[in-house]
Amino acid sequence: MNSVLAAQTLLTAGDGGLDDHLSRYGRLPSLDGSQIVGLARDAELTGRGGGGFPMWRKLAAVAAAGTPAVVIANGAEGEPVSGKDRLLLTRKPHLVLDGLHLVALATGARAAHLYAPAALLPRLRESLAARGRAGLDKLPVTLTAAPDAFVSGEESAVASAIAGRGAVPADKRVRLVETGTLVQNVETLAHLALIARYGAGWFLSSGTFLATVSGAVARPSVVEARYGVPLGDLIGAAGGATENLRAVLVGGYHGGWVPADPALPVTREALAPFGAAPGAGVVVALPAHACGLVETAKITQYLAGQVAGQCGPCVNGLPRIAGTLADLAAGRPRPGLPGEAARLAALVTGRGACRHPDGTARLVLSAMRAFEADVAAHLNGRCLATGGRL
Amino acid sequence: MTDALWYFARGSGVVALVLLTIVVVLGIGSRSGRSVFGLPRFAVSLLHRNAALLAVVFLAGHVIGLLFDSYAQLRLFDLVVPFVGKYRPLWEGLGTVGFDLLVAIVVTSLLRNRLGAGVWRAVHWLAYLCWPVALLHGLGTGTDRGTWWLWTISLTCAGAVVAAVGWRVSPAFARFPARAERRVAPRLLEEASR
Amino acid sequence: MTRLHIDWTACDGRGLCTELLEEMLVEDEWGYPVSRDGTTEPVVPPPLEDAAKRAVDRCPMLALKLVRR
Ligand SMILES: Cc1cc2nc3c(=O)[nH]c(=O)nc-3n(C[C@H](O)[C@H](O)[C@H](O)COP(=O)(O)O)c2cc1C
Ligand code: SF4
Ligand code: SF4
């Protein structure tokens, strides 16, 4: 079977209503906390918000924190080229809420929160009301609006927003899980809800991930596939490339550029040599006529504009990186220009309260590798994509 | 005996004022992140702290001297509540205000690690109130008021602090003028304020 | 192992730590500390522990902490 279309479990049609949900998936089986942690571990479920961290470890750490736990479903989806969390919250909100219920059980949480863009909140409020009427959740769920900003979905920003202090990332001397706070991406939670019903073995053989495919494709859309899916199949599921591709951005604005190789498997291991990872499943196809340096400069400019404004190296470094890339893209050579981008990327990495500088650096370093020939051409006043002089 | 106390109290008061001036100037200097008077930054910061502690010692001498002085008739009560003293209540009251402010600044500094940087910094701003209050107190009260030497000392102190504050607010103060300001992006606070 | 943690939301790049711990830290072009070994939480070698404690104590923003991990 085509691995893209295998077991469309999350994206099957659905009206988002509770009746539809219950007739499709049935009620959650009753499980205790350690069973839930065990299922997440055996299913090897990893986070879908970008980090790809094993969920069970976070569950275990929060349960062991020794403070009353707080669980938060993270639907902020600050990434502008991602759409899967919004789609999931629209089409399958009850899977997310089931998952939130399960992690609350697994951690012994006293409070559960759903954090999502303001536009989605009215319908989610209805979903919660329907569950209340059906007597589904013992632990009430609080809704909080996520500001429309790139870093608003970063885990410590999420915790801060829930606490009413704004979506501002915090220092991580004490890790968030050690404070008894669990932040999971909404897709991760939806998978857990299915694992609870169908088992860890089922997920190992049929579990999926959601990818948002955009750029030079016929039907930009959210597609569901299994890890290991060839890149070409993912792009094919979005209607296929509309023209020859120069490169593909995998993992979103904090991801990396990989060659437009249709056979490249979308897995952590296969993408690692390119400095990329499946991350939150963002795939952007760059057409052959577009310049990767110009595109990267634009994204970096955007990311520099999205800093939370707290950390010196990030606040100063990201605009400098963006300026350096803009010079490269526009062919304004100055001495040591390509090396400067790499130097700055290394300089900001690990020097912020959140990983926004790290992600930005990753993108820039991958661009320097993927578009090495373009860099050389730009420094000589030519652009390979347009074929003309800069 | 009383005379000795009186001289001691006056002298230690003047020394405390001079020390406080040094403390303020060094404080501004260490805020700049530059080396001042050829001293490394950490030395400026240490001198700032040690001069402050020394100022407290002299101020304690000043106050204790006056507590036992029959002329000033200072009561323990006057150390806390200003402007109710028997002897030149206005000028003595300024001394009380300055003393209380200094105690607040020093105590919060010593407990900085426990109180957190926010509280500490907020209280530390009071230094800009404490110093002029101390200066006025010195000029307005005491037997030495109007003597040429006290005026000279006071004006020198004032000159030093005015120069330091002028430097503080000038563009030349920052060591890295091109550095971007750190300020939380307002868009992140939007939903919270609604 | 003792490591030096920098709270970047607090550090104002005042440069005291880079003087007190110059064996471990240098200033970047904006005056913020960078660990010489390039790690995020550099290990404090035992001979430098006192200097590190002093830096933690003297940081005007209370941005430095010693952590064990
Ligand atoms: C700058 C930045 C932005 C992030 N934005 C999101 C986001 O919008 N949604 C999300 O689920 N995770 C986001 N993350 C990842 C979260 O910090 C966190 O790892 C994730 O929500 C944990 O859930 P998971 O383990 O289920 O993936 C972001 C991380 C960073 C550094
Ligand atoms: S690293 Fe950057 S984006 Fe993250 S909290 Fe600090 S300033 Fe904000
Ligand atoms: S002493 Fe503190 S504020 Fe100054 S640079 Fe070091 S960590 Fe930052």
Side-chain angles (χ1 to χ4, degrees):
Chain A
M1 208 202 303
N2 183 329
S3 55
V4 170
L5 301 172
Q8 286 239 323
T9 47
L10 287 181
L11 283 189
T12 42
D15 63 6
L18 185 58
D19 294 341
D20 178 68
H21 169 75
L22 290 176
S23 63
R24 198 179 294 273
Y25 303 106
R27 288 194 169 228
L28 274 177
S30 79
L31 297 164
D32 68 26
S34 63
Q35 283 174 314
I36 296 167
V37 178
L39 278 171
R41 184 189 54 220
D42 298 344
E44 296 172 15
L45 177 58
T46 52
R48 303 303 161 85
F53 195 77
M55 181 195 230
W56 78 271
R57 287 184 188 277
K58 280 164 68 173
L59 288 176
V62 170
T67 49
V70 176
V71 293
I72 308 169
N74 183 3
E77 202 167 40
E79 172 91 52
V81 279
S82 182
K84 52 116 181 160
D85 290 344
R86 265 165 253 252
L87 183 68
L88 187 64
L89 283 171
T90 308
R91 215 179 263 184
K92 298 290 171 68
H94 292 290
L95 280 180
V96 175
L97 292 167
D98 280 352
L100 185 60
H101 184 67
L102 289 167
V103 294
L105 273 177
T107 56
R110 299 269 188 80
H113 297 265
L114 174 53
Y115 179 69
L120 297 182
L121 294 189
R123 286 209 49 200
L124 290 170
R125 199 164 287 124
E126 285 171 28
S127 307
L128 288 172
R131 291 172 81 89
R133 284 193 298 276
L136 281 187
D137 296 336
K138 276 162 228 89
L139 191 64
V141 175
T142 312
L143 293 175
T144 302
D148 182 15
F150 193 87
V151 302
S152 71
E154 193 275 336
E155 57 178 10
S156 61
V158 174
S160 164
I162 295 297
R165 294 188 300 263
V168 185
D171 181 53
K172 310 256 175 352
R173 180 168 60 89
V174 180
R175 282 184 271 256
L176 200 57
V177 288
E178 296 173 76
T179 67
T181 305
L182 181 80
V183 177
Q184 294 289 174
N185 174 260
V186 287
E187 184 196 335
T188 321
L189 293 170
H191 286 300
L192 184 67
L194 294 177
I195 293 167
R197 290 176 167 92
Y198 309 138
W202 165 84
F203 189 76
L204 285 172
S205 65
S206 313
T208 60
F209 77 99
L210 296 181
T212 312
V213 186
S214 64
V217 293
R219 259 182 295 110
S221 49
V222 176
V223 301
E224 186 167 6
R226 286 183 52 70
Y227 284 129
V229 59
L231 191 54
D233 286 12
L234 266 190
I235 290 172
T242 49
E243 55 187 294
N244 283 341
L245 298 182
R246 172 164 299 273
V248 179
L249 179 65
V250 179
Y253 287 0
H254 278 178
W257 292 102
V258 305
D261 170 7
L264 185 67
V266 178
T267 60
R268 223 166 221 280
E269 298 73 34
L271 296 173
F274 305 102
V282 170
V283 174
V284 184
L286 183 72
H289 70 76
C291 174
L293 292 176
V294 170
E295 203 54 37
T296 307
K298 272 192 220 151
I299 299 175
T300 316
Q301 184 70 47
Y302 166 82
L303 292 173
Q306 290 289 323
V307 300
Q310 305 191 90
C311 315
C314 178
V315 168
N316 287 281
L318 265 51
R320 265 283 270 291
I321 294 179
T324 305
L325 266 133
D327 285 349
L328 256 183
R332 285 188 292 265
R334 42 185 168 86
L337 195 49
E340 177 72 351
R343 182 186 76 83
L344 289 167
L347 183 63
V348 299
T349 299
R351 294 177 67 228
C354 79
R355 298 198 162 274
H356 187 53
D358 307 47
T360 307
R362 186 174 325 125
L363 174 82
V364 167
L365 289 174
S366 88
M368 290 299 122
R369 281 192 303 265
F371 306 122
E372 204 178 354
D374 302 73
V375 171
H378 275 231
L379 291 175
N380 286 313
R382 303 200 70 82
C383 179
L384 299 178
T386 62
R389 293 206 63 81
L390 283 167
Chain B
M1 175 62 200
T2 358
D3 268 5
L5 263 181
W6 186 231
Y7 283 117
F8 173 73
R10 281 155 58 198
S12 52
V14 174
V15 174
L17 176 69
V18 172
L19 281 169
L20 282 181
T21 303
I22 292 172
V23 170
V24 169
V25 171
L26 288 174
I28 290 174
S30 74
R31 175 68 183 77
S32 77
R34 292 171 189 274
S35 54
V36 183
F37 309 127
L39 293 169
R41 290 183 287 271
F42 73 86
V44 176
S45 143
L46 273 178
L47 268 181
H48 166 71
R49 181 181 71 175
N50 292 347
L53 293 177
L54 200 59
V56 170
V57 171
F58 276 92
L59 197 60
H62 177 65
V63 168
I64 292 170
L66 293 177
L67 276 178
F68 290 102
D69 182 74
S70 54
Y71 188 56
Q73 298 183 345
L74 199 66
R75 303 156 300 177
L76 274 177
F77 183 66
D78 294 318
L79 295 182
V80 188
V81 185
F83 310 120
V84 294
K86 299 215 162 77
Y87 173 79
R88 293 183 181 156
L90 173 67
W91 301 110
E92 186 203 279
L94 285 176
T96 303
V97 172
F99 175 75
D100 293 349
L101 287 174
L102 188 70
V103 167
I105 293 168
V106 170
V107 168
T108 49
S109 293
L110 294 176
L111 297 177
R112 206 162 67 105
N113 282 301
R114 216 157 317 152
L115 294 173
V119 174
W120 166 70
R121 203 163 33 246
V123 177
H124 230 70
W125 276 100
L126 293 175
Y128 285 111
L129 185 64
C130 177
W131 180 85
V133 164
L135 182 78
L136 282 180
H137 163 76
L139 284 176
T141 188
T143 321
D144 305 316
R145 128 184 107 125
T147 61
W148 65 268
W149 61 266
L150 188 64
W151 271 108
T152 311
I153 289 176
S154 300
L155 284 178
T156 311
C157 287
V161 169
V162 167
V165 171
W167 176 48
R168 171 78 178 82
V169 297
S170 78
F173 183 70
R175 193 159 60 103
F176 294 88
R179 190 195 266 180
E181 192 194 351
R182 293 188 308 119
R183 199 169 64 88
V184 172
R187 77 170 79 81
L188 297 176
L189 306 172
E190 265 163 25
E191 301 294 330
S193 60
R194 267 205 233 137
Chain C
M1 234 174 322
T2 306
R3 293 172 179 276
L4 185 69
H5 176 90
I6 304 175
D7 176 352
W8 293 107
T9 68
C11 170
D12 214 6
R14 301 282 185 80
L16 256 77
C17 55
T18 44
E19 281 177 344
L20 290 168
L21 258 184
E22 55 183 354
E23 298 87 344
M24 286 176 63
L25 302 171
V26 285
E27 276 188 343
D28 68 11
E29 53 234 71
W30 307 287
Y32 295 98
V34 196
S35 71
R36 285 186 189 270
D37 66 5
T39 57
T40 300
E41 273 182 358
V43 173
V44 181
L48 289 182
E49 269 192 30
D50 282 343
K53 283 200 190 106
R54 215 169 305 133
V56 168
D57 182 54
R58 292 319 300 155
C59 168
M61 310 307 288
L62 298 183
L64 299 174
K65 293 278 176 329
L66 293 178
V67 293
R68 300 197 61 88
R69 44 182 165 233

